[in-house]
Amino acid sequence: MLQPPEKHEPTHKLGIGKAIAVLTSGGDAQGMNAAVRAVVRVGIFTGAKVYFVHEGYQGLVDGGDNIKEATWEKVSMMLQLGGTVIGSARCQDFRTHEGRLKAARNLVKRGITNLCVIGGDGSLTGADTFRAEWSSLLVELVKTGGITADEAKRSSHLNIVGMVGSIDNDFCGTDMTIGTDSALHRIMEIVDAITTTAQSHQRTFVLEVMGRHCGYLALITALACGADWVFIPESPPEDDWEEHLCRRLIETRGRGSRLNIIIVAEGAINKQGKPITSEDIKTLVVKRLAYDTRVTILGHVQRGGTPSAFDRILGSRMGVEAVMALLEGTPDSPACVVSLSGNQAVRLPLMECVQVTKDVTTAMNEGRFEDALKLRGRSFQNNWNVYKLLAHVRPPSTKSGYNLAVMNVGAPAAGMNAAVRAAVRIGLIHGHKMLAVHDGFDGLAHGQVEEIVWGGVGGWTGLGGSKLGTKRTLPKKYFEEISANISQFNIHGLIIIGGFEAFTGSLELVEGRGKYEELCIPVCVIPATVSNNVPGSDFSIGADTALNTITTTCDRIKQSAAGTKRRVFIIETMGGYCGYLATMAGLAAGADAAYIYEEPFTIRDLQGNVEHLTEKMKTTVKRGLVLRNEKCNENYTTDFIFNLYSEEGKGIFDSRKNVLGHMQQGGTPTPFDRNFGTKMGAKAVAWITGKIKECSRHGRIFANTADSACLLGMRRRSLVFQPLAELEEQTDFEHRIPKQQWWLKLRPILKILAKYQIDLDTSEKAHLEHITHKGVPVEATI
């Protein structure tokens, strides 16, 4: 896994004789520090010299102490810090020719020919201009005696790689920019807090979030909190929006809700391009409806705080990719941006991305709002369509005549309730009668089935656990009773939201179709488990929330270790045999090692880790963090590893252990899990509605083909339906994990960032892709 083919130069020698500078520019974003840390550590790992440029482009122009060589230890304890430790500044000097001349001299004098820029589109455009002028700047510097001809020759070309750090997620070509997920975390914390006070007083709250030219934060917030209305710059409301909004608020109150929430992006406009402010909306609601209305402008709170697990992993992965792109760069390779597409790292031509980003603003300025939405990419459009369905479409008066049942199976996972809510409401919009099954297959067997209406799932998106109740019981032993209840309640389709038991239980239902005709109905499984071990999906609902819980706990533990010095913590995570949580939390928390079942280890490996930590204690970083997946090895238990570390570390370091347990299944869902659950629920109902119609014969449903029982999963960039029968071959049933898992290829990064001398497999290189496809960016669909 770790050894690349012979033809590749070993990655730990790639940077010898080269120098890389890293700077953060423009507005700060949580996760920038993770990216800086990764650039520094991977740069040093390859043998390159790495320099910090403090205060962004201003530091590049001013030189002196602003450009300092970085060391491994200097980036320790940076992961969990918000903002940017090396500072950022808006720089006017760099916009001038003289400023860029000074910057070029400062780089040449230090032998730096590789520049990594973390910032927004303005910062990246500046970097591209700098690169284009590089040769002429050197000629001028030689002429004026600023540098020697020899120095110019050694620095003949400048490589530039960008990473996008922006909380607005306004850069085209990347699924998520660094900082967006953390900003959503801040927003949702506030929305959840406001919801409780609004309910107490039956208030309407207007919340203004950042996004001058991009409505991403506002849109995802609206989806994740079930807002009544959202205003975004890309899609202004119809001209009679005032009447529509008031009608909507009255309807929500009429259904028994005690609050209304309206989300406004700071750049919201009407069709004529005039701003729609939060105060305008408050005035309208008070004047027309006399509702008690309050405005909250979130402001810079959204930029602050600790980065989420996602942003830390994103920053770390992008940092690794940026160093590789710089060191593999040639004078002919264009300046590129490293970004994420689904779960793949990609490289995109920098100026193509900047151009499409500018095209969106141009389209909005010219009133071409349809084009603006298209240019934002499929992901944005999908989010917008789901929001419109849930917020603006009323259930029809004519019913479809179909009954859909929704249930949870397995252990609880945060985000399950968001998926149930979306499924119920989209089902009602399709005209179906929606049935809630309590306590999984057990409840289906014992008739715990009741009709659930629109108001029955109100406020569910932000609730952790499972409101329907969930059990691990499998259906096989209850086929008689389940068939009888499917018949009694006239169930035409079944949506099962849960973990590995939901998958195996549904396979049993399919198996039972031969004997019980009642089981011949369409079935859709939505993966929801903290373990992320369901085949057919890269992510499961609930895994992101669990990952953030583990990461936050590790932060606190590391802080305590930093205070006491010379202490190593061994932490046990959940996941069954699946090492996803241990590996990803290891990346997000900066662990020294993460033991998992998928990567077998021996006593020699454990010994090697102890020796590695012993060496670490001689540096300024006198603490260690080791994660262990609960079932990584039946003999090397958490107690065994703790005892081994305690014995071997005597006189050098203390050891402590911590079993995190069920706290990993609790808590309020993260914005990702709320949004993911909402979209999965909506998509599952649309699919099952089509399947019911397809399998309908003379008023009866008969579904017995393989594709009438599917699992809805996220694969790379898209949400796809896969027949359960096909997934059976891809599953290791004994250990309850998929045979192939995408995240295993991230493990070398974890080891390199923890200073292990291994080789990084670059055989699966991220090749340069192009962003535009017939004028519309190719982007993720989730």
Side-chain angles (χ1 to χ4, degrees), residues 622-641:
K622 299 186 191 312
R623 69 179 177 275
L625 180 70
V626 174
L627 298 180
R628 179 190 173 271
N629 170 250
E630 59 184 350
K631 288 188 177 175
C632 65
N633 187 301
E634 61 180 328
N635 295 314
Y636 299 146
T637 60
T638 302
D639 285 337
F640 176 92
I641 292 173

Side-chain angles (χ1 to χ4, degrees), residues 34 97 195 200 243 263 303 332 377 429 437 452 469 483 513 524 531 542 573 583 619 654 719 740 742 768:
H97 181 73
T195 300
S200 307
E243 281 76 19
I263 309 289
R303 283 195 192 282
D332 303 324
I429 286 164
V437 180
I452 188 160
S483 301
R513 282 174 172 181
C524 182
S531 305
T573 67
T583 299
T619 71
D654 288 344
L719 293 178
Q740 301 227 284
W742 68 272
L768 197 68

